[in-house]
């Protein structure tokens, strides 16, 4: 055995807010929002670089478009598969109601929405289903 070290070139810095604005604009997403639309911002826990900045910019852009965004943990069993644990995982990433200026609706209730062609049941967060968009 021999030890190896691989060095990857550094990525160029990304203006997260400008990138999100451009992507939302290219898809017409923000123009489609109705004033006051309750939009769930699903936030995971799988090591996404700059997740705090991404979620903050997403919430900011949605608010600017007149929506009422809220954050839902989207992480399955992380945080001990409890609402409190998942909110705690988000807090470890700096994602709190105070820092995001948006409510966090951590809940474990799900609703069955269908079955795949090979018989696997599909469930979705009840909070997400009650929103106007995700």
């Amino acid at each position: 055995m021999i030890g190896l070290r691989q060095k990857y070139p550094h990525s160029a810095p990304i203006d997260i807010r400008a990138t999100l604005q451009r992507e939302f604009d290219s898809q017409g997403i923000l123009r489609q929002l109705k004033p006051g639309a309750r939009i769930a911002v699903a936030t995971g826990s799988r090591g996404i670089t700059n997740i705090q900045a991404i979620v903050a910019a997403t919430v900011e852009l949605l608010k600017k478009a007149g929506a009422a965004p809220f954050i839902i943990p989207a992480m399955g069993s992380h945080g001990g598969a409890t609402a409190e644990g998942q909110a705690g995982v988000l807090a470890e990433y700096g994602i709190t109601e105070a820092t995001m200026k948006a409510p966090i609706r951590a809940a474990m209730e799900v609703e069955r929405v269908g079955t795949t062609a090979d018989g696997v049941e599909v469930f979705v967060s009840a909070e997400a289903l009650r929103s106007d968009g995700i």
Side-chain angles (χ1 to χ4, degrees):
M1 290 191 154
I2 60 171
L4 295 176
R5 176 174 291 167
Q6 186 171 6
K7 293 186 178 182
Y8 294 97
H10 288 284
S11 300
I14 296 173
D15 182 336
I16 292 169
R17 189 182 186 295
T19 301
L20 285 169
Q21 180 76 57
R22 184 176 57 251
E23 292 300 317
F24 282 176
D25 287 347
S26 72
Q27 301 297 315
I29 293 169
L30 299 177
R31 289 188 310 272
Q32 295 175 40
L33 294 175
K34 294 179 178 151
R38 297 176 52 253
I39 305 298
V41 178
T43 307
S45 60
R46 292 285 179 190
I48 298 169
T49 301
N50 298 315
I51 191 167
Q52 180 186 20
I54 293 166
V55 174
T58 301
V59 166
E60 178 187 337
L61 288 168
L62 289 168
K63 283 183 173 183
K64 186 178 173 186
F70 62 95
I71 297 165
I72 58 170
M75 58 185 74
S77 64
H78 283 191
T82 67
E84 298 79 16
Q86 290 184 355
V89 170
L90 292 181
E92 289 173 14
Y93 294 132
I95 300 170
T96 65
E97 291 186 354
T99 59
M100 298 295 112
K101 298 178 179 75
I104 295 177
R105 298 207 177 112
M108 300 309 293
E109 292 79 29
V110 295
E111 293 184 28
R112 183 178 174 276
V113 293
T115 306
T116 65
D118 44 340
V120 177
E121 292 182 298
V122 178
F123 295 88
V124 175
S125 158
E127 285 290 340
L129 284 175
R130 287 191 289 263
S131 72
D132 297 314
I134 306 168

